Amino acid sequence: MAAPPRLLEPAPDWTADEKPMLPGSPAAIDHPAYKRLLYFFIGLFVAVSGSLSNGFITANLPLIQGEYGLTPSEAAWIPAAYAMANVSANLILFKARQQYGLRLFSEIGLVLFIAVLMLHIYVHTFEMAVFVRIASGLAAAPLSSLGMYYIMQAFKRANFGRGLYLALGFQQLGIPLAWVMSPYLTGVNDWMLLYTFELGLALCCLAMVVSLKLPRSLRIAVFEFQDLFTFALLASGFALLCIVLTQGPILWWLNAGWLAYALIGALLLIAAGLTYEHYRANPLIITRWLGASSTVRFIIGAFAIRFLMSEQSYAAVNFLKTMGMGPDQFVTFYAVIMAGIIGGTIFSALTFSREKTILHLLGAVLLILIACALDQHLTSAVRPENFYLSQFLAGFASGMFIGPLLLTGILSALQKGPSHMVTFIVLFSASQTFGGLVGSSFFSSYQQMRTQHYQAEIINDLPLASPQVQQRLLSDGQSSRAYTPDPALEQNQALRALHQRVTEEAQVRAYSDVIFLNKLFALLLLFWGLFIIAASQYRSYKQRLRPDSS
């Protein structure tokens, strides 16, 4: 049995109720009411600010692509760089907090975050933009933990679960808030204003956390040199996997041979990292726990729910963009999503109970199922206001599921011992990151294939010799006659207009198929969850029927 970790400094004279649940976590001090309010406000500000940076990039990616003159493939490297850095940072984040202290680590993280945002102001090349996103992804990881712990300090220890729910739910507000704010910050393409605004937010965060510090935590010696080797293997594998998932739908899977080599390299590096961990005396990742049935169920459930949620950010938004909607028309759309996230977060916190976590998760899946049913039948006349109800429900589900999901995993890890927490954090982060990436990649690829299928189908059903098609070509040709006196060009313009209408109709049908497919996935996940609950209840019933062995 491994020796317990060595304390790096004497522990304060905490009471049993004040002692941190885990090294690296702040003590549970009984603060006065005004101080609890300050902790909550600072935690909310930090949690939202940490996700706003990535949200601004997501919301303004087409404009950034135009600013640097990038192809769609090159532009996709910018969000991919953030994702690969953020998921890898969680491999060492937990141990870093335990060894160097949460307060010092968070302040260093904030200073790094500010330095990254200052780099944004001076970025004028594509390569530097990618580097800044990598650094931003690394810096955003400690900010998420910092916001969570500040919000939890606003609650008594018995209600820490409610604080956890609120913290994780509010962290999801960054992307919709960025969409709401971006048109007002980039209305005249003043990128300096956007980056300066982000920098101001980060400086406010630093001023807040320095003015009101978190309570102390236990510091223990946990880092080993072997951890760096594991990090190098797994982080490289995760990075290659992020690249494959973001580039695949754009370059197309079978047209870019290097994607296959990148995928093989990702799988080999991840397999090598896990194999190395399996035979370590004091592993960073406890691989034997990964094979437990409860852990496998958690991985599948966490990945599947995030996969379902990715349809919200892909199908509705990209469909409206295809129909010609611009950033200004998404302001109210994302305000509705924000309202849904806030509502779902507050609902899950108010109804908090360890026994109800599975009900919250199933409720979120049910809401996604209803949202897909509302959106399934799309037409070219659909506008953002037609999505308000469904996207509110999807946002409500997003706010409702994340807290119970994390709590379920934490309780399972703590039952095995504190050493399992690093494994769980990596699992949770990876399931959410790759669930979203795989979902977007899958739905994008499926939509493109269905669009090609419907294009061929519509063209076959519309022979050029039919009177209806000839009438449409004549009408389009007459409308372009004012711009060109050449009959051949006039005919080409009419054919081009017809092709655009065919493509638009094919895309409408393809997006409807995407939503329908996601509805089927949600239905399967709902039935799977109900089956697990029924099986658990049956085992408990059989256990109660057994005679007392004593």
Side-chain angles (χ1 to χ4, degrees), residues 79-94:
Y82 178 92
M84 68 176 71
N86 190 253
V87 69
S88 299
N90 288 286
L91 288 166
I92 58 171
L93 176 62
F94 190 76

Side-chain angles (χ1 to χ4, degrees), residues 182-501:
S182 289
Y184 306 102
L185 293 174
T186 60
V188 291
N189 291 327
D190 189 355
W191 295 99
M192 188 69 71
L193 178 62
L194 176 63
Y195 298 152
T196 304
F197 181 81
E198 290 186 80
L199 178 61
L201 284 177
L203 288 171
C204 288
C205 290
L206 181 61
M208 289 178 181
V209 301
V210 170
S211 301
L212 181 62
K213 294 181 179 292
L214 286 169
R216 284 184 58 187
S217 59
L218 286 173
R219 291 178 54 220
I220 57 176
V222 289
F223 265 126
E224 297 181 2
F225 180 76
Q226 291 174 304
D227 293 338
L228 298 178
F229 186 64
T230 299
F231 175 79
L233 289 173
L234 293 181
S236 301
F238 289 162
L240 287 175
L241 197 53
C242 288
I243 292 169
V244 171
L245 292 173
T246 52
Q247 294 293 325
I250 299 172
L251 300 175
W252 199 245
W253 307 97
L254 302 180
N255 293 343
W258 66 268
L259 288 175
Y261 294 106
L263 180 59
I264 293 171
L267 297 178
L268 289 177
L269 286 168
I270 294 173
L274 293 178
T275 302
Y276 179 72
E277 286 294 289
H278 187 76
Y279 293 102
R280 278 183 61 183
N282 187 26
L284 179 70
I285 307 294
I286 301 176
T287 55
R288 290 168 178 83
W289 185 50
L290 297 180
S293 59
S294 59
T295 308
V296 172
R297 285 197 300 270
F298 174 82
I299 295 172
I300 294 174
F303 178 90
I305 293 180
R306 180 53 69 186
F307 180 94
L308 294 179
M309 291 303 307
S310 67
E311 184 269 336
Q312 179 190 39
S313 60
Y314 174 76
V317 176
N318 284 293
F319 169 78
L320 291 172
K321 288 180 180 178
T322 301
M323 295 298 105
M325 302 297 106
D328 293 342
Q329 293 163 294
F330 283 111
V331 171
T332 307
F333 176 86
Y334 273 100
V336 170
I337 294 178
M338 279 183 58
I341 293 174
I342 294 172
T345 300
I346 294 175
F347 173 81
S348 65
L350 291 177
T351 57
F352 166 78
S353 171
R354 292 184 179 182
E355 294 75 22
K356 294 179 181 177
T357 52
I358 187 64
L359 297 180
H360 284 155
L361 296 175
L362 290 180
V365 176
L366 181 61
L367 288 177
I368 297 171
L369 182 61
I370 295 173
C372 290
L374 291 172
D375 290 341
Q376 181 180 335
H377 303 289
L378 298 176
T379 68
S380 57
V382 169
R383 292 298 178 261
E385 54 268 21
N386 301 115
F387 284 103
Y388 287 169
L389 177 58
S390 63
Q391 295 310 299
F392 176 84
L393 294 177
F396 197 97
S398 180
M400 187 169 69
F401 93 89
I402 190 70
L405 181 65
L406 181 64
L407 182 63
T408 301
I410 288 177
L411 293 176
S412 177
L414 289 178
Q415 288 176 356
K416 299 294 182 179
S419 60
H420 287 64
M421 281 302 297
V422 175
T423 306
F424 163 71
I425 290 172
V426 173
L427 272 182
F428 180 79
S429 174
S431 70
Q432 297 307 286
T433 299
F434 290 114
L437 288 175
V438 171
S440 296
S441 180
F442 173 81
F443 288 129
S444 177
S445 301
Y446 182 71
Q447 188 270 337
Q448 292 180 59
M449 290 190 296
R450 297 305 294 168
T451 297
Q452 292 180 352
H453 169 78
Y454 284 124
Q455 281 179 319
E457 185 179 86
I458 294 171
I459 291 174
N460 288 335
D461 292 340
L462 288 176
L464 292 178
S466 70
Q468 293 87 353
V469 174
Q470 289 298 321
Q471 181 64 34
R472 171 61 66 181
L473 290 174
L474 179 62
S475 175
D476 290 337
Q478 289 175 347
S479 64
S480 62
R481 189 168 298 168
Y483 304 99
T484 174
D486 190 337
L489 291 177
E490 179 183 316
Q491 180 70 10
N492 287 337
Q493 185 66 27
L495 289 172
R496 188 177 297 110
L498 179 63
H499 179 73
Q500 289 175 347
R501 289 190 180 90

Side-chain angles (χ1 to χ4, degrees), residues 158-182:
N159 291 319
F160 267 12
R162 300 181 191 275
L164 179 69
Y165 281 19
L166 290 175
L168 291 170
F170 289 147
Q171 284 178 7
Q172 300 184 85
L173 294 175
I175 290 181
L177 184 59
W179 276 91
V180 171
M181 298 173 63
S182 289

